[in-house]
Amino acid sequence: MGPLSDLTVLDCSTLFAGPLAATVLGDFGAEVIKIEHPEKGDPSRTHGHSKNGVGLWWKMLGRNKRAVTLNLGRPEGAEILRGLVAGADVLIENFRPGTLERWGLGPDVLHEINPRLVIARVTGFGQFGPYARRPGFGTLAESMSGFAAMTGEPDGPPTLPPFGLADGIAALTCYGAILTALHSRASTGVGQVIDLAIIEPLVTLLGPQPTVYDQLGLIHERTGNRSVNNAPRNTYRTADGRWVAVSTSAQTIAERVMRLVGRPEVIDEPWFATGAGRAQHAEELDAAVGGWIAQRSLGEVSAAFTEAQAAVAPIYDVTDVLGDPQYQALDTITTVDDPDLGPLKMQNLLFRLSTTPGEIRWTGRAVGADTADVLAERLGMSADEIAKLREEGVL
C-alpha cells in the first residue's frame, strides 16, 4: 500500500510543479484525486510527444492518480470540491493568487470545513509581492534566479535548460514542504498553507552566490563546462568520437587524474593544493587531460580511470541510459503495463525504501475516468445526480 497510503490528496494543479509533487505522493501510496476541467483537462495531456493521439508525458505525470473532472468556476463545482475537502489531507493548487478566493474556495473557507487540511499553493512568484499576479512559468524562474546568466559559454548568450528544471526542483521542494506540514500536523492537529514560489528553490540550488556577492562583490560569470571551484572539470572527446565528463571536486581525485594523464609534477605546485587554485589554471589542466583522452577510445579511458579510482562518466543520451547496466540494476527506467499503449517504459520511483516501498500502480488515466466512482464513494452521489451534473457542464 505504501507509507503514505493513509493520505488523500486533491491535485488541482497543472503544468508541472504541483502535479509532479502529487505524482511522488501517489508513488508512495497516497490516494491522489486529480481534478481537471471537464473540457480542457490538464495541459500536460497534450504537451510534448504523443502516440496514436495519446500524450506520453501524461502517462508518467498522471500515474497513480484517479482522474476526476470538475469545473471549479461553477458554484456547483466549487461545492463538490468543498465536499471532497472534508475528507482530504492535502490540496495542491497553482491558480493565480486570488482565484480560489473568487470561487469561494480560499484557505479560510477550506480550513473551516477541514482544519487539518494542508494546502500547497504553487505559483510563479508567490502569494504576495509586486509580481504575485503575473503569469509564472519555470522558464521565468530559470531566467530570474541567476541560472541562465551563469549557464553557457563565456562568449555566448545566457542559456536556458531544454527541460523543466525549475518546475522539477519546485515539485520536489513542494513534496518536502507537504511532508513537513503533515509532520507538524501530527503534533498540532491542524493543517496550514504552503506558499511556494517557483522562482525561489532554484536560487537556493545555485549555491552561495548571494553570500559571495554580499561579502566580496563578485558576480558569477558564464564559464561553460568549467567550474570556478575546481579543475580539471570539463567534457572531453575520446579518440572514437565519444564524450566523457571528468570531475575532480576532491583533492585526492584531482591528484589521481593528473598522475594518470602523465602530469604528476603539477601536483607539487602550490596552486594545485586548492580547488580554487586549480580553477585558475584550468587551461593547462584541461589541455593535459583533454590531450590524453583524445588519444584513447571510450573503453580505454573508462578502464584507466576506473583502475586509477578517478571520476569519469560517459555523456549519455536516452538510449545510453536505457542500455546502461547500472541503471538496469537499479530499474531506474521500468516497464509498466498501459491500457492504451501496452508495455510502457518510464522513470521509476525517485528512491527505494527498504520496508515500505512505493510502486507504480497504474499510468495516467483518461480524462474523467474516475469521476463517477470518486463522487459516489466519497460524496454518496447517485448515478442520476452525476449524469445531470455532466449535462450541465459541471463534470
Side-chain angles (χ1 to χ4, degrees), residues 314-356:
I315 303 297
Y316 275 178
D317 61 22
V318 66
T319 61
D320 299 311
V321 171
L322 290 170
D324 183 89
Q326 181 61 34
Y327 281 129
Q328 290 175 350
L330 296 174
D331 196 28
T332 305
I333 308 299
T334 195
T335 301
V336 186
D337 286 328
D338 178 76
D340 299 312
L341 300 173
L344 187 67
K345 290 188 181 298
M346 64 174 61
Q347 299 94 324
N348 209 335
L349 276 60
L350 283 172
F351 48 86
R352 286 161 288 279
L353 296 177
S354 60
T355 59
T356 57

Side-chain angles (χ1 to χ4, degrees), residues 94-372:
N94 69 335
F95 300 104
R96 289 198 204 182
T99 301
L100 282 187
E101 287 81 354
R102 189 172 71 250
W103 292 339
L105 297 170
D108 56 336
V109 174
L110 300 184
H111 277 150
E112 192 170 317
I113 297 169
N114 180 358
R116 292 174 55 81
L117 184 70
V118 171
I119 304 171
R121 314 193 78 173
V122 185
T123 56
F125 302 102
Q127 294 295 312
F128 58 91
Y131 304 160
R133 293 183 180 273
R134 292 184 182 180
F137 297 95
T139 298
L140 306 187
E142 289 144 11
S143 172
M144 293 177 63
S145 63
F147 173 85
M150 64 182 289
T151 305
E153 294 299 323
D155 57 350
T159 303
L160 295 168
F163 65 101
L165 175 65
D167 275 304
I169 292 171
L172 300 186
T173 304
C174 183
Y175 170 72
I178 288 170
L179 295 186
T180 302
L182 289 170
H183 181 79
S184 174
R185 188 184 75 172
S187 58
T188 65
V190 296
Q192 58 186 297
V193 177
I194 298 166
D195 178 6
L196 195 155
I198 296 175
I199 60 171
E200 290 188 296
L202 189 53
V203 173
T204 296
L205 263 68
L206 294 181
Q209 290 187 47
T211 306
V212 170
Y213 177 74
D214 175 62
Q215 296 297 307
L216 303 175
L218 300 177
I219 298 174
H220 196 299
E221 304 291 341
R222 289 189 287 283
T223 58
N225 288 323
R226 285 178 174 167
S227 169
V228 298
N229 301 312
N230 65 82
R233 188 263 198 181
N234 212 325
T235 58
Y236 310 92
R237 196 169 192 176
T238 65
D240 53 350
R242 297 295 301 273
W243 289 89
V244 297
V246 171
S247 174
T248 58
S249 296
Q251 181 70 23
T252 54
I253 299 295
E255 293 174 3
R256 291 171 190 167
V257 169
M258 299 319 296
R259 290 192 185 99
L260 175 63
V261 303
R263 290 293 305 278
E265 73 279 2
V266 300
I267 297 173
D268 297 324
E269 295 288 346
W271 51 262
F272 197 87
T274 66
R278 296 197 305 274
Q280 293 177 5
H281 292 77
E283 288 285 350
E284 177 183 355
L285 298 177
D286 271 348
V289 176
W292 185 90
I293 289 175
Q295 298 174 17
R296 292 162 175 81
S297 69
L298 174 61
E300 292 171 326
V301 170
S302 297
F305 268 74
T306 300
E307 184 177 353
Q309 298 185 53
V312 71
I315 303 297
Y316 275 178
D317 61 22
V318 66
T319 61
D320 299 311
V321 171
L322 290 170
D324 183 89
Q326 181 61 34
Y327 281 129
Q328 290 175 350
L330 296 174
D331 196 28
T332 305
I333 308 299
T334 195
T335 301
V336 186
D337 286 328
D338 178 76
D340 299 312
L341 300 173
L344 187 67
K345 290 188 181 298
M346 64 174 61
Q347 299 94 324
N348 209 335
L349 276 60
L350 283 172
F351 48 86
R352 286 161 288 279
L353 296 177
S354 60
T355 59
T356 57
E359 65 174 323
I360 301 173
R361 291 163 285 164
W362 62 82
T363 57
R365 292 167 60 73
V367 176
D370 302 289
T371 301

Side-chain angles (χ1 to χ4, degrees), residues 35-54:
I35 307 295
E36 300 177 80
H37 191 278
E39 298 174 5
K40 302 174 184 176
D42 190 312
S44 65
R45 290 181 177 274
T46 57
H47 208 85
H49 295 285
S50 64
K51 181 180 179 181
N52 301 330
V54 177

